[in-house]
Amino acid sequence: MKRMVATKSLMLLLLTLMMLAVAACGQDQAGSDQQQQTEANGEKGTVTVGGKDFTEQHLLSKITSIYLKEKGYDVKEASNMGSSVVRSALENGQIDMYWEYTGTALVIYQKQAVETDPDVAYEKVKEKDKENNLAWLNKANFNNTYAILMRQDKAEELGIKSITDLANYVNANPTALKFASNAEFYARQDGIKGLEKHYGFTFPAENVVKMDSGLLYNALKEKQVDVSVGFATDGRIEGFNLVALEDDKNFFPAYNGAPVVRQEVIDKYPEIADLLNQIADRLDTETMMKLNYSVDVEHKDVAEVAREWLVSQQLIE
Amino acid sequence: MRSKHVERVIRALLFLLVIAFFAWAYVSGAFQFILDNPDDLIYLTQQHLKLVGLSSLFAVIVAVPLGILVTRPRFKKYDWIAINLANIGQTVPSLAILALVMTYLGIGYVTAVFALWLYSLLPILRNTIAGIENINKSIIDAGQGMGMTESQILWKLELPNALFAILAGIRTSIVINVGTAALAFLIGGGGLGDLIFTGISLYDTGIMLAGALPVTVLAITLDFVLGKLEKWIIPKGLQRNLESL
């Protein structure tokens, strides 16, 4: 009995230590942010940069924050929010700017029709958001749209380059390929159902495996499935030797990233528009994939990757 | 007397709440999805039941003998290891177990069953060990005094007396398993989690309820059936505190 108590308390101690260790890791993260905070002298004014809850967004908000700090602004960071949360925060003035995607703003916030042409989509959201006193700055040249992915070797072996090729192949061999999808893409009208209709083919239901978004790439890499949906700028596409099939009949909407800033803030600090456009003009799909790759596949620190990129672009010393 | 009265009132209130919830859900069209897609629902419910059934069955087959084994005199010294392992295992989130198993077994149905089996083992193991250990020492002494062999002591004294705890462990484990099995969807294992997670990602209450309601009903039904089964299996002479449950 005595020993039981001793062991129990030992276990408790171990658990506590583990929790402390985990907490400490979190602290480290905060610590490195703190360090950058001190570099700022904040002589020009204070701005708050927001961000959503996935790697690409962490990178974009970090790049923006570091750059503005170097240019003499005092920057507060509010990252890791869900899409609708970050948008509300901007509308309420709790944050001053963040990076949004044209397709998301068009369909989700403005309830307009889906648009596959990047320029048209951008003009539409820019125009509509003027009513909300939100300024869309330059559209960056990266498009984080849905992508249909395959393993490079498998795609080559079957001679599949575009979604049309895939549709033809599936029509000829209905049960040959397994398809992985997340819950959302499977259920949405502009998801798998729309895609099948647009390209004129159907994946048999028993050949579709549904899973969490984060596992799609691994399932494909591990040959559990042959085709998967994914996101076009994800670093794991390159990291796992996957290939995104060409959307030759333009089914997927455009999701170009662009900084969105409250008009009030632009009026107060006109320079900020120029600064953010400097960043937006230098980003494209390939760059975004590389940066995501550094974080998702090589497990580098977001702040470090962001800073290195800014230095490589000669935006900061 | 008064407590009985209070109990009745609380029960009635709870029933009213449940009925009110269903009425509200019906009026707000949340059941539309269930009414429109009965086939989907039946298919996924069957899948869910298979996940739970297989994993729980294997868990019982493995955990009960294991619990008996570590309580034998030969291993008595080390049974605290088993208990502590079981306790620690119980604190690992089920999602983490799914993720870990996935790294070795890949995605899909088999992985889901294996992970659920692993997660169901622990409550059964813990209760089996505790049930056997907590038997009044004097009963065992009496058995030894009568000249019973070790296997007689196990089958005639230990197991019948520990049965209540063992069955309670199995019941708990299965009911928890019904809920945990909803996570199988995340690793491509199917089941009712499909509807729950689709509902969450589309922000659609109807689809979410179509998954959550059957899971809840399944859990309650199984709990009830297993409770009845307990009464039926446990020897009459040993049904001491069954009434209090």
Side-chain angles (χ1 to χ4, degrees), chain A residues 150-151 154-155 158 160 165-167 169-171 173-180 201-204 206-209 224-227 245:
Chain A
M150 287 181 80
R151 284 186 303 283
K154 182 90 183 177
L158 302 178
I160 296 175
D165 297 343
L166 177 71
Y169 185 85
V170 172
N171 284 333
N173 322 276
T175 56
L177 299 177
K178 270 196 127 85
F179 182 83
F201 75 110
T202 319
F203 275 114
E206 60 270 20
N207 274 33
V208 179
V209 193
Q224 308 268 349
V225 293
D226 310 298
V227 187
L245 302 181

Side-chain angles (χ1 to χ4, degrees), chain A residues 3 24 29 50 58 79 84 113 134 141-142 162 184 199 204 273 280 282 290:
Chain A
R3 185 172 43 197
Q29 207 62 53
H58 295 321
S79 55
S84 44
L134 302 176
N141 210 358
F142 66 89
S162 64
E184 193 173 350
Y199 279 93
R282 284 175 166 80
K290 274 205 181 77

Side-chain angles (χ1 to χ4, degrees), chain B residues 99-122:
Chain B
L100 279 172
V101 172
M102 200 193 68
T103 19
Y104 296 105
L105 289 182
I107 55 159
Y109 192 75
V110 177
T111 310
V113 170
F114 183 80
L116 290 171
W117 167 77
L118 211 55
Y119 205 64
S120 306
L121 274 180
L122 305 168

Side-chain angles (χ1 to χ4, degrees), chain A residues 10-64:
Chain A
L10 195 69
M11 291 299 169
L12 265 178
L13 195 71
L14 269 176
L15 268 178
T16 324
L17 280 174
M18 272 186 208
M19 285 182 181
L20 280 174
V22 171
C25 290
Q27 283 293 322
D28 279 354
Q29 207 62 53
S32 66
D33 286 353
Q34 284 293 319
Q35 238 168 5
Q36 276 157 5
Q37 290 280 2
T38 53
E39 289 165 18
N41 43 11
E43 66 218 13
K44 289 187 186 166
T46 303
V47 289
T48 306
V49 179
K52 300 187 193 183
D53 51 3
F54 49 97
T55 304
E56 178 164 290
Q57 282 277 325
H58 295 321
L59 280 162
L60 290 169
S61 58
K62 199 45 110 177
I63 287 173
T64 311

